[in-house]
Amino acid sequence: MTTLYVNSKDAPFPFGVLALAAVSGVEYVFDDEQRHSVELISPMGEVRGVEESIRALADQVSAWGEKSPTEAFLAQAVALSTLTAFAAVTSSIDALDDRLALRTYLSGHEPTVADYAIWGALKRNNVVAGVLKRGAHVHLARWIAHLEGFERVQSALAALTEARSSKNKSAKKAAAASSFALGLPDAAEGKVVTRFPPEPSGYLHIGHAKAAMLNQYFAQMYKGRLIIRFDDTNPSKEKEEFEQSIIEDLALLGVHADLLSHTSDWFAKLYEECVELIKRGKAYADDTEQEQMRCERTERLPSKRRDMTPEETLQKFEEMKTGSVEGQRWCIRAKISYNDDNGALRDPVIYRCNLTPHHRTGSQWKVYPTYDFACPIVDCLEGVTHALRTNEYRDRNPQYHWFLQALGMRDVHVWDFSRIAFIYTLLSKRKLHWFVDQGLVGGWDDPRFPTVRGIRRRGMTVEGLKQFILAQGPSQSQLLLEWDTIWSLNKKVIDPVAPRFWAIMKDNAVKVTIRGAPGVEVKNVPKHKKNSEVGEKKTVYSGEIYVEQEDAVIFEDNEEITLMDWGNAIVRSKETGPNGVITHITMDLHLEGDFKKTEKKITWLTSPTAAHPLVNVVLKDYDYLITKKKLEEEDKVQDFVTPVTEFKVAAWSDANVLDLAKGDIIQFERKGYYILDNISGAKGEETLEFIHIPDGKAAGVASKAEQPVEEEKPAKAKKQPKGTPPCTTDAARPKKEKKAAAAPGSAAPIVDGAAGPVPGAGQPDDLRTVKSDGDIGFDIQVPTGMFAVKPIYGEKAVPLQPGSNMFEVKPIYEH
C-alpha cells in the first residue's frame, strides 16, 4: 500500500503532492516528529523530496496526461515556487492566466499532475497571493477555485489545519491509526475469533462487503477463525432464500467461513439467559404502547411497570411464550437506566412476541430476542474474541458490555470502523426494494445496484474491492465517498491481464478501400502487447475494412494515419452522403511509414465474409439511479430518480470475442474496459452484451444526469430597463429547464463517459454570419456556442496608419 508522509510544519508546505495524493485516494500521514521532508513509501520503494515524490505519485496513479507539456509545467512549478522578484512572478502568472483563458485544465480534459504541481507552487509562493488580490487574473482564479473545490482537496487541507493545531499529537500514533498495522487489541496468534452476522432479509451490498472482508482479514492475520452467523431473530423479515444468496455473495467476495451458525441455534439458551436476567432484577415486563414508550424514552421518564417484581415479570414472560392475546401485549425490557445521556441505555427492549412462523424453527417459538440482546450473548457462547462492527453502533457498545456483565459472562472486545457510503448511491434495503418493485432495474443483481452481485456484474474484482477496503484503514470518519478511487484500484487489477479487442460502432460505420493491400490474410497477434501470457488472437487483413465515423470525419486529405496492428496508410479520397456523413474512403497502404510520426492511430475491422464474419455486440453503460449525491431521511426516493440510466450502442467486433465466457473482463481498445454480461442467439448468429467498467476517471464516474461544471460562472446580469425583452440564451434559462434539455436519452448514447458530436446530425442551430473583410467581402457562416458581442473596435474595419503596426489611440495623459 502506498503512503505519503509529510511534515505539517514544513514551510513552504508541499501542497501539490498532498492534493494529488488526496484526489487519487492515496493514504497520507502527517508525521511531524521524525520526517523533515516529503516521503512516498510504496511497494516500488521509497522516494523523498517534493519534486521526486509528485513524479513517483503521478506514475503510480497515472496522472501524467500528455507527458511532453506536463514535463514543462513541472519544471515551471519548481521555478515558480522559489521566485521572489515581483516582475518575474507577475510574468509567470500572466502566462498561466492566458493559458487557462479557453481551458479548464493546463493540459488535457481532466486534472493531471501538472495542475496540482503548479497549484501547489502558487500556494507555496507568498508573493503570488498579493498579485492575485488585484483581481486581474480571472481565469487563473477560477482554475484555483475549481481545484480547491474538490471535496478530497478540501478534506486534505482541513486535515492539514487540524494537524498543525494539534501540537501535542504523537506522530507515531497518527501514522499507526491510519493503517491496519495497529492490529486488534489483546490479540494472540491462533486465538482470535471474529464473526460476520448478516440478517437474512436481503442481498449483501458493498457496506456488508467491507464488514465481511475485514472480519476475514483479521481472522487470517492472526491465524484464527471466522464465524458467519445468520442473525435470524425477526421471522417477519427473514427468508431461507436470502441465506443462500448471502452464502453465494460471500463466495463471490472470496469470504469463506470456518463455522456457519444461526442465532436461532441458541434460542433456548437465550430464553434461559433472559429468565436469569429477570430473576436478578435486571429486566421487567412492560405493556406500554409503542408511541408512549418512545416518548418516555425521549423525555427520560420511567415506565409505570419499571418496579414490577421478578415474579410478576416471569409470569408475564411465560404468557408471552404462549403467544396468547394477553402475552402479545407485553415485551421484556432491560432495567439499565431510564435517564441516561446515552439513549441506547434507556431500558431497551430485549424480547417481544411474534407469531410469524420462523423459517428454521417453525412455530416452536412465539417470543424472539432482539439483536442487541442476542448478539453479545451468542458472541460469548461461540468464543468470539473481537466483535467488529461499524461505529454507528458505538452508542450501543456500553449496552453490549452491560448484558455480558449483568449475566456474569466473558467480555468481548468491540472494535469499531467507519461505515462505507458513496455518492448517488442507496444502501437502504427498503429504498432498493422500491426500485425492484417499480421495475426500474432488472433485479437485485442489476449493475446499477450497490449489491455485491451488482458491483461484481459491473466488473468489480474481489482484489480491487479488497484493496479499496483495506486502504480505508480503521478510520472513524463518516465519509461520503466518490466512486473514482475504488474503480481506479480495480483498473490496476484488470489492466495487466485484460485481453485487448476491437469494436466498431455500427452507426454510420465507414467502408474503406485499402489500395496496395494483399488478399485476405490472417495473422496471430498478442491479445495484450505488454503481457504475452494473456495469449494470442487472430487478426484478419484485407483490402476492405470498416472504420468509425468519428475517426473518418477528422481525416485530412493526403494525411498519413496508422492502422493499429497493421501499419500506415495515406488518405486519398473521401465520399460524403447528402447529410454530410462520410460514406466511403480510399487509402493507399504505406507500410514503410513511421507510426511514431502519425497523430491518428485508429482501430478497424475487416469487412465480413463467410469465412471471416464479424460478431454483433452491444455495449452497455449506466448512470446513477438517483440525481442527488446524498438522500436525507425526509427525502422521497421517487423525487430524485434519474430519468434514463441505461445506454446501449450496437457495434461489431472480430470473431475472437466468441472465445470469451460470461464474466470475462476485456478491453475494447480506445473505448475502455468491459465485462461480458450475456450471450444470446443461435451459433453463428450470436449477440454478445458487454457492460462498461468504469476506470476511475472523472468523466467515467460523473453523473450523466447533471449539467457539466461550467468553466466560468457568468457575470451577474445587470438590471435592465423596464420593458427589456427577456433573455432567451441557455445561460439565462432556469436550472430545471436546462436540466431537462440535457436529460439523458435526448442525444446519442454515451460510451466511456464521454459525449461528442453526432456524425451526420446536421449543421449546428447557433450560426453567425460574418464578413470576410471587416464590413465588406463575402459571407461566412460561423457556428458558435458563444453570445454575440459587438467587435471591440466597432462595426467597421479598423483603419491602420501607414508605416505603423499599432492602432491609433488617444494619449492617456492628453488634456
Side-chain angles (χ1 to χ4, degrees):
M1 187 169 64
T2 301
T3 305
L4 175 71
Y5 293 90
V6 289
N7 188 331
S8 67
K9 307 300 190 294
D10 269 359
F13 184 82
F15 291 97
V17 67
L18 175 65
L20 180 59
V23 298
S24 304
V26 171
E27 180 187 31
Y28 52 89
V29 174
F30 298 110
D31 187 347
D32 300 344
E33 291 182 357
Q34 296 183 6
R35 303 177 192 276
H36 304 286
S37 63
V38 181
E39 186 171 1
L40 185 74
I41 299 179
S42 72
M44 306 301 293
E46 297 185 14
V47 179
R48 294 182 179 180
V50 177
E51 185 181 2
E52 295 79 6
S53 294
I54 201 168
R55 285 175 173 275
L57 192 56
D59 286 336
Q60 291 193 35
V61 301
S62 303
W64 279 99
E66 296 182 22
K67 193 124 184 177
S68 180
T70 302
E71 285 283 3
F73 282 118
L74 290 182
Q76 184 180 357
V78 173
L80 185 58
S81 62
T82 57
L83 282 181
T84 55
F86 185 82
V89 172
T90 303
S91 176
S92 294
I93 292 178
D94 288 345
L96 289 171
D97 194 62
D98 291 341
R99 173 81 180 177
L100 292 164
L102 297 175
R103 293 179 174 88
T104 304
Y105 303 108
L106 292 174
S107 175
H109 300 292
E110 55 187 43
T112 65
V113 64
D115 294 279
Y116 294 110
I118 292 292
W119 171 78
L122 293 173
K123 206 165 178 65
R124 286 161 64 96
N125 193 316
N126 294 329
V127 180
V128 170
V131 176
L132 293 179
K133 281 182 180 178
R134 297 183 300 175
H137 302 86
V138 293
H139 306 298
L140 186 61
R142 178 261 305 160
W143 171 79
I144 290 173
H146 178 56
L147 290 182
E148 293 182 354
F150 290 147
E151 184 177 338
R152 292 191 175 188
V153 175
Q154 290 180 352
S155 298
L157 293 176
L160 173 61
T161 301
E162 181 182 354
R164 285 174 168 173
S165 63
S166 304
K167 296 182 180 179
N168 297 322
K169 183 189 292 183
S170 167
K172 290 184 179 179
K173 289 182 180 179
S178 61
S179 73
F180 283 110
L182 185 64
L184 298 175
D186 299 327
E189 187 171 307
K191 295 182 179 180
V192 168
V193 179
T194 62
R195 91 290 192 261
F196 174 59
E199 181 184 15
S201 60
Y203 291 79
L204 295 187
H205 56 59
I206 193 169
H208 299 124
K210 178 177 182 179
M213 296 181 85
L214 286 183
N215 274 284
Q216 176 166 274
Y217 173 82
F218 282 116
Q220 292 176 345
M221 175 180 174
Y222 290 101
K223 299 179 181 178
R225 294 190 307 142
L226 168 66
I227 298 172
I228 302 296
R229 180 200 310 141
F230 288 105
D231 174 44
D232 52 350
T233 59
N234 187 352
S236 297
K237 292 183 178 180
E238 294 140 8
K239 296 179 181 178
E240 190 171 1
E241 63 186 84
F242 287 128
E243 287 191 11
Q244 189 58 38
S245 71
I246 289 171
I247 292 173
E248 293 171 359
D249 289 345
L250 291 173
L252 287 175
L253 293 171
V255 175
H256 303 284
D258 296 294
L259 173 66
L260 187 67
S261 70
H262 297 76
T263 301
S264 56
D265 297 337
W266 301 94
F267 277 170
K269 181 63 175 176
L270 288 165
Y271 177 82
E272 293 175 7
E273 295 299 336
C274 184
V275 170
E276 180 63 28
L277 203 63
I278 294 171
K279 289 180 178 178
R280 296 187 181 195
K282 297 181 182 295
Y284 61 95
D286 197 349
D287 64 346
T288 305
E289 292 291 335
Q290 188 176 14
E291 285 300 320
Q292 184 182 343
M293 186 186 297
R294 184 180 293 116
C295 180
E296 288 176 352
R297 296 188 70 197
T298 302
E299 298 297 327
R300 307 189 188 193
L301 299 174
S303 167
K304 61 184 178 180
R305 305 293 189 186
R306 197 169 195 273
D307 294 328
M308 182 181 288
T309 65
E311 292 73 22
E312 291 176 294
T313 297
L314 286 173
Q315 184 181 359
K316 296 299 182 185
F317 195 27
E318 282 301 311
E319 193 72 33
M320 290 172 59
K321 187 179 178 182
T322 66
S324 66
V325 175
E326 174 63 18
Q328 293 176 54
R329 293 180 49 244
W330 295 82
C331 68
I332 303 297
R333 297 176 67 180
K335 194 173 184 179
I336 305 177
S337 171
Y338 65 85
N339 60 356
D340 198 281
D341 289 340
N342 185 345
L345 297 178
R346 295 176 199 162
D347 292 5
V349 173
I350 60 174
Y351 255 94
R352 72 281 195 223
C353 275
N354 191 332
L355 304 187
T356 306
H358 192 277
H359 69 281
R360 292 188 76 241
T361 61
S363 300
Q364 178 183 356
W365 294 94
K366 305 293 190 300
V367 288
Y368 294 92
T370 61
Y371 171 82
D372 287 337
F373 178 70
C375 184
I377 295 173
V378 178
D379 281 349
C380 179
L381 294 172
E382 289 187 337
V384 172
T385 60
H386 295 80
L388 279 61
R389 58 187 192 178
T390 57
N391 54 18
E392 63 183 305
Y393 288 98
R394 179 167 291 172
D395 287 347
R396 301 188 190 183
N397 289 349
Q399 180 196 94
Y400 180 103
H401 296 298
W402 184 92
F403 285 124
L404 295 176
Q405 184 179 9
L407 290 167
M409 303 179 75
R410 174 185 60 85
D411 202 7
V412 177
H413 286 288
V414 176
W415 194 86
D416 292 324
F417 57 88
S418 62
R419 185 181 181 184
I420 200 168
F422 289 90
I423 60 170
Y424 301 114
T425 304
L426 299 170
L427 296 180
S428 162
K429 290 180 183 177
R430 178 176 55 84
K431 291 174 181 175
L432 292 175
H433 213 293
W434 182 85
F435 277 94
V436 176
D437 292 343
Q438 297 298 314
L440 297 175
V441 293
W444 289 90
D445 65 342
D446 193 281
R448 291 160 287 193
F449 260 20
T451 55
V452 169
R453 296 183 177 212
I455 60 174
R456 291 279 286 135
R457 188 178 167 196
R458 187 77 183 268
M460 176 59 62
T461 62
V462 172
E463 183 59 29
L465 185 59
K466 181 179 179 180
Q467 288 185 18
F468 173 77
I469 288 172
L470 297 182
Q472 300 303 303
S475 169
Q476 300 298 326
S477 302
Q478 296 289 347
L479 299 177
L480 190 63
L481 302 173
E482 303 277 351
W483 279 97
D484 54 353
T485 301
I486 189 170
W487 287 118
S488 294
L489 288 171
N490 191 61
K491 174 188 172 183
K492 293 178 181 179
V493 174
I494 64 178
D495 181 72
V497 294
R500 271 54 170 167
F501 298 97
W502 293 343
I504 298 295
M505 303 301 185
K506 287 185 179 180
D507 189 29
N508 293 324
V510 182
K511 180 171 280 191
V512 180
T513 298
I514 306 292
R515 297 189 303 205
V520 177
E521 187 178 1
V522 181
K523 295 180 181 179
N524 288 334
V525 298
K527 289 181 180 178
H528 195 306
K529 293 180 178 64
K530 297 181 180 179
N531 186 355
S532 60
E533 294 182 6
V534 176
E536 293 185 333
K537 63 181 179 180
K538 296 183 183 300
T539 298
V540 183
Y541 303 82
S542 78
E544 295 286 341
I545 66 172
Y546 277 105
V547 300
E548 290 188 341
Q549 182 73 206
E550 67 175 24
D551 286 328
V553 296
I554 62 173
F555 293 158
E556 303 289 343
D557 289 342
N558 297 315
E559 180 182 14
E560 188 166 355
I561 57 100
T562 297
L563 302 171
M564 292 172 60
D565 284 352
W566 192 350
N568 287 6
I570 301 172
V571 179
R572 294 306 186 190
S573 66
K574 294 195 294 186
E575 297 175 19
T576 306
N579 57 356
V581 173
I582 307 296
T583 57
H584 184 266
I585 295 177
T586 300
M587 296 183 185
D588 287 337
L589 195 62
H590 186 230
L591 298 181
E592 301 80 16
D594 187 354
F595 71 92
K596 295 180 181 179
K597 295 181 179 179
T598 60
E599 292 184 4
K600 297 160 189 171
K601 297 169 176 60
I602 66 165
T603 49
W604 52 275
L605 289 174
T606 292
S607 297
T609 63
H612 304 290
L614 295 179
V615 178
N616 293 314
V617 300
V618 176
L619 306 182
K620 299 190 291 186
D621 196 11
Y622 296 95
D623 197 3
Y624 300 108
L625 289 170
I626 57 175
T627 58
K628 188 176 180 181
K629 285 192 173 183
K630 180 184 179 183
L631 289 187
E632 304 300 334
E633 196 63 36
E634 64 275 9
D635 288 337
K636 295 181 179 178
V637 65
Q638 54 266 38
D639 294 338
F640 299 94
V641 176
T642 307
V644 179
T645 56
E646 184 178 61
F647 307 91
K648 295 182 179 180
V649 175
W652 285 306
S653 185
D654 56 86
N656 292 289
V657 297
L658 293 175
D659 295 331
L660 298 172
K662 187 175 179 180
D664 282 351
I665 291 176
I666 67 164
Q667 183 189 70
F668 280 125
E669 294 196 73
R670 301 177 66 220
K671 287 180 170 56
Y673 302 94
Y674 287 83
I675 181 170
L676 179 54
D677 184 56
N678 188 46
I679 304 174
S680 60
K683 187 173 180 60
E685 299 178 356
E686 298 95 333
T687 295
L688 280 64
E689 294 185 3
F690 291 88
I691 293 176
H692 179 248
I693 305 172
D695 58 8
K697 292 182 179 178
V701 296
S703 172
K704 300 174 182 64
E706 287 190 322
Q707 281 285 306
V709 178
E710 296 181 358
E711 292 192 4
E712 281 190 69
K713 290 185 179 179
K716 198 170 182 179
K718 293 182 179 179
K719 191 173 182 180
Q720 298 296 324
K722 227 175 182 180
T724 303
C727 176
T728 57
T729 63
D730 187 64
R733 286 158 113 186
K735 191 173 182 180
K736 286 185 179 178
E737 187 181 334
K738 282 199 280 185
K739 200 165 189 176
S746 60
I750 297 172
V751 173
D752 206 18
V758 181
Q763 295 298 318
D765 295 331
D766 192 4
L767 296 175
R768 274 196 301 131
T769 302
V770 299
K771 293 292 185 182
S772 60
D773 187 16
D775 58 347
I776 60 174
F778 55 87
D779 291 344
I780 302 175
Q781 296 292 319
V782 180
T784 177
M786 304 294 290
F787 301 111
V789 296
K790 290 184 178 181
I792 298 173
Y793 297 103
E795 301 291 345
K796 303 287 186 181
V798 179
L800 296 178
Q801 296 296 322
S804 172
N805 291 325
M806 303 294 291
F807 297 112
E808 184 178 23
V809 295
K810 188 176 180 179
I812 298 174
Y813 300 104
E814 182 177 335
H815 295 287

